[in-house]
Amino acid sequence: MASSSSSSSTQVKKITLKAADGKHFEVEEPVAMEMETVKSFFVGNEDAMKDMVVPLLNVSSEHMPAILDFYRNHSEFRKRTPPPPAEEVKAFNEAFLENKSDEQLMEMIMAANFLNTKELLNFLTEAAANRIKNKSVEYVRAFFGIENDFTPEEEARIRAENEWAFDGLDED
Amino acid sequence: MAVTPRNCKIPTISNVDEDNGDRLSSLPEHIIHHIFSFLDTVDVVRASSVSQKWRYLYVSMPHLNFNIITFWSLLEEQEQRSIETTIKKFKDFVDGVLLSQNCSVDIQNFCLNYLKIGDDNTIYRWMNVMARRNFLLLAVAKPECSASFYNLKSLTLLVSVDESGQSIIQLLNHSPNLEDLTIIFESLDWSECWEIRDEVTCSTYHLKSVRLLDFGGSENELELVRFLLKKGVVLEKLSITWRRGVENRREIIREIKKFPTSSNVAFTFFKPGSNI
């Protein structure tokens, strides 16, 4: 993708990231450095910056474009003066989550955890929380993909301990 | 345990896909805590019937959010819902969770929204339970074992009818390492005027940020602001979100800015309803 033009001083340095399935992503250095995991890869090893491919073995290439998009936009929001209106950030965040399935959301949480970026992890975990807020136990199980390993008696007993907590929930 | 990416220089593969049945088993505990930290403790307790693994999730939660409003809405479908029964159930619930909390848990957030009616001293009792637990822990357990209030960095408090500012100060004294304090004021009338004497000791040695929500500028609220500005030796930020319908904001701001401060404090004032 990069043209073979002479590297002018204004050109942003790129870092190549390799997703779990081997796909390469060229990322501007400041964006890549949003990820602590990538950053720590280079600490004390600045020479490695050149022509180095950083393997991100826990992140599938399916989620890389969205994750990079989040970093790019949010680092831009942070730098902008005056700060962007809350509605603009909200609109971006909502659009970001819109077509993501529960499973994709969980995978991205794992990726954010692996990449060690607080902002993205906070954002995604809050989104997950919103999806299970005031939902039934069955719904929460399905959301996390957990098997019910209680016997019916056990489950009934546990529910009886906090009976009231199961009233007045939202529809699944 | 899954491989933790923290401090690992070279990313490694974790064998997440060994069994694809339970997506959660691949989620580290701190992530589950993180997700549930945004929810009410009621949601955490309800999740104890999800699976064996989650049976005692609430026992190890480092974030506690007790909100009586949640109770009020949960009890909506029950026939004899009254303020009294709601308060009673809420008390039983908070008692149950606090007493069953694992003492070695490093509590990071403690949020309590409680309606205090008459001379109900429950709130002090809860504080004492936690304080006593810390004390026991410090006295009995290994010295490096951390006690909950000592680790409390962020506290949100809803202040409703209360006869003195003492409870807030008492809470601050139990949380010597607190950095962020948020107080939400209830718009009910204040029964008595507070006067917080400057000699009162108050540990605010780490308090960096104070947020006051639904601030109406009443004498008691201003007295608390005055006190916190005087005692907050490392206070950096004071942000105030106005309650709706406060007319004399300018005068109140002027008055607040006249209070002596012990550090360089940045003041911000927000329109009613803004949360940040």
Side-chain angles (χ1 to χ4, degrees), chain B residues 6 20 45 50 79 82 88 95 123 144 157 223 242 274:
Chain B
R6 259 173 232 172
N20 46 14
V45 170
V50 161
E79 279 169 22
S82 67
K88 188 183 173 303
D95 281 345
I123 206 155
E144 70 264 30
L157 199 64
E223 176 65 6
W242 296 102
S274 37

Side-chain angles (χ1 to χ4, degrees), chain B residues 7-208:
Chain B
N7 311 325
C8 77
K9 285 230 163 170
I10 297 168
T12 37
I13 299 179
S14 71
N15 31 359
V16 198
D17 47 3
E18 49 184 17
D19 75 310
N20 46 14
D22 195 349
R23 225 184 305 156
L24 177 91
S25 58
S26 57
L27 275 189
E29 194 181 41
H30 76 269
I31 297 282
I32 302 165
H33 285 161
H34 200 153
I35 294 175
F36 277 92
S37 72
F38 296 102
L39 298 172
D40 201 286
T41 302
V42 173
D43 291 294
V44 186
V45 170
R46 193 186 308 117
S48 58
S49 42
V50 161
S51 74
Q52 302 276 8
K53 213 171 167 179
W54 282 25
R55 177 70 182 92
Y56 296 105
L57 180 61
Y58 65 94
V59 174
S60 62
M61 265 302 281
H63 311 268
L64 297 173
N65 294 309
F66 298 109
N67 191 337
I68 199 158
I69 310 287
T70 313
F71 264 67
W72 182 247
S73 52
L74 279 174
L75 296 172
E76 194 165 19
E77 284 170 20
Q78 298 198 352
E79 279 169 22
Q80 336 90 317
R81 175 175 77 159
S82 67
I83 292 195
E84 287 71 26
T85 53
T86 308
I87 289 181
K88 188 183 173 303
K89 292 209 174 200
F90 182 73
K91 276 187 195 170
D92 290 347
F93 175 69
V94 179
D95 281 345
V97 174
L98 288 188
L99 291 173
S100 60
Q101 267 273 319
N102 183 336
C103 289
S104 62
V105 172
D106 183 353
I107 292 185
Q108 292 159 20
N109 283 299
F110 181 71
C111 177
L112 179 67
N113 182 347
Y114 182 62
L115 186 66
K116 185 175 183 295
I117 291 182
D119 35 331
D120 175 359
N121 287 319
T122 317
I123 206 155
Y124 301 101
R125 186 160 54 79
W126 285 330
M127 280 158 46
N128 284 332
V129 166
M130 298 206 71
R132 192 151 3 112
R133 193 181 86 178
N134 297 347
F135 182 73
L136 269 179
L137 208 81
L138 285 174
V140 178
K142 292 170 292 193
E144 70 264 30
C145 196
S146 46
S148 71
F149 268 41
Y150 289 92
N151 292 306
L152 197 66
K153 295 249 164 88
S154 157
L155 172 75
T156 303
L157 199 64
L158 184 120
V159 178
S160 33
V161 201
D162 201 353
E163 61 273 25
S164 78
Q166 280 308 316
S167 62
I168 297 171
I169 290 159
Q170 204 174 333
L171 203 49
L172 287 175
N173 282 337
H174 279 293
S175 322
N177 291 311
L178 196 70
E179 290 176 8
D180 300 298
L181 171 70
T182 302
I183 298 179
I184 307 166
F185 291 100
E186 279 274 86
S187 48
L188 298 162
D189 283 335
W190 302 86
S191 28
E192 268 172 47
C193 276
W194 301 349
E195 193 201 332
I196 311 173
R197 273 172 298 143
D198 289 343
E199 302 89 79
V200 171
T201 49
C202 187
S203 45
T204 46
Y205 303 114
H206 294 91
L207 195 63
K208 288 188 192 139

Side-chain angles (χ1 to χ4, degrees), chain A:
Chain A
M1 66 163 59
S3 64
S4 56
S5 67
S6 62
S7 54
S8 68
S9 56
T10 50
Q11 203 162 337
V12 184
K13 200 155 42 162
K14 301 248 178 150
I15 287 176
T16 308
L17 306 178
K18 189 171 117 192
D21 41 15
K23 268 202 187 164
H24 285 209
F25 292 86
E26 277 214 336
V27 184
E28 310 80 74
E29 190 197 319
V31 175
M33 291 306 160
E34 298 263 317
M35 308 173 221
E36 289 294 326
T37 305
V38 174
K39 207 174 178 178
S40 66
F41 194 82
F42 291 109
V43 172
N45 194 15
E46 277 75 12
D47 295 343
M49 288 280 210
K50 292 171 202 146
D51 317 313
M52 188 68 186
V53 176
V54 184
L56 300 176
L57 298 172
N58 277 346
V59 186
S60 115
S61 65
E62 181 196 343
H63 300 303
M64 279 301 275
I67 290 173
L68 295 173
D69 195 39
F70 182 92
Y71 293 143
R72 286 196 185 104
N73 280 278
H74 275 262
S75 65
E76 193 269 319
F77 290 153
R78 254 180 279 129
K79 281 183 209 133
R80 209 191 304 170
T81 39
E87 296 81 39
E88 190 185 334
V89 180
K90 204 175 153 215
F92 171 82
N93 288 347
E94 277 172 7
F96 184 88
L97 291 171
E98 200 170 36
N99 297 312
K100 302 279 184 299
S101 69
D102 292 344
E103 188 154 4
Q104 285 171 324
L105 182 59
M106 298 318 282
E107 283 166 8
M108 284 175 52
I109 288 178
M110 291 300 286
N113 180 46
F114 172 78
L115 296 170
N116 199 2
T117 44
K118 239 184 178 172
E119 191 181 21
L120 180 64
L121 186 62
N122 246 329
F123 169 68
L124 294 172
T125 45
E126 185 167 10
N130 286 334
R131 290 192 186 185
I132 56 170
K133 193 178 195 160
N134 218 25
K135 295 286 191 188
S136 71
V137 171
E138 290 74 16
Y139 188 94
V140 174
R141 269 187 207 128
F143 180 87
F144 288 100
I146 304 175
E147 297 244 1
N148 179 9
D149 54 2
F150 287 121
T151 64
E153 295 77 33
E154 274 177 321
E155 193 180 341
R157 192 165 42 79
I158 296 164
R159 281 181 185 241
E161 283 172 17
N162 289 299
E163 207 183 333
W164 47 266
F166 297 92
D167 293 328
L169 296 180
D170 298 343
E171 295 269 318
D172 286 350

